[in-house]
Amino acid sequence: RTKNGTVWALGQFEGLVSLRGNRYVAEPPAAERKSRTWHALYADEEDYLWLGNSEGLHVYSPTEKRFLG
């Protein structure tokens, strides 16, 4: 959960998803996804999401809706 109250999860087929109201939304849009198979998720104190998969560690900015770096 990030500071703004958004709940983040790793979906089996959707990849990274956020809970908005009563529905899950895939993040980021499909064309910008780095992977559908994530193994770890961590929200840091600045609300960046750190995601790990077999290709390495990736940082996602929910406010910018994109992967950094």
Side-chain angles (χ1 to χ4, degrees), residues 8 14-18 20 23-30 33 60:
W8 295 90
E14 299 85 5
L16 178 65
V17 294
S18 61
R20 297 191 183 162
R23 65 187 180 99
Y24 283 98
V25 177
E27 300 276 350
R33 291 184 194 156
Y60 181 72

Side-chain angles (χ1 to χ4, degrees), residues 17-56:
V17 294
S18 61
L19 178 60
R20 297 191 183 162
N22 61 352
R23 65 187 180 99
Y24 283 98
V25 177
E27 300 276 350
E32 298 173 22
R33 291 184 194 156
K34 296 226 180 230
S35 176
R36 287 181 177 245
T37 306
W38 298 107
H39 304 293
L41 170 63
Y42 173 75
D44 71 15
E45 62 278 350
E46 296 180 22
D47 281 352
Y48 290 110
L49 302 177
W50 295 76
L51 297 104
N53 65 11
S54 60
E55 298 171 12

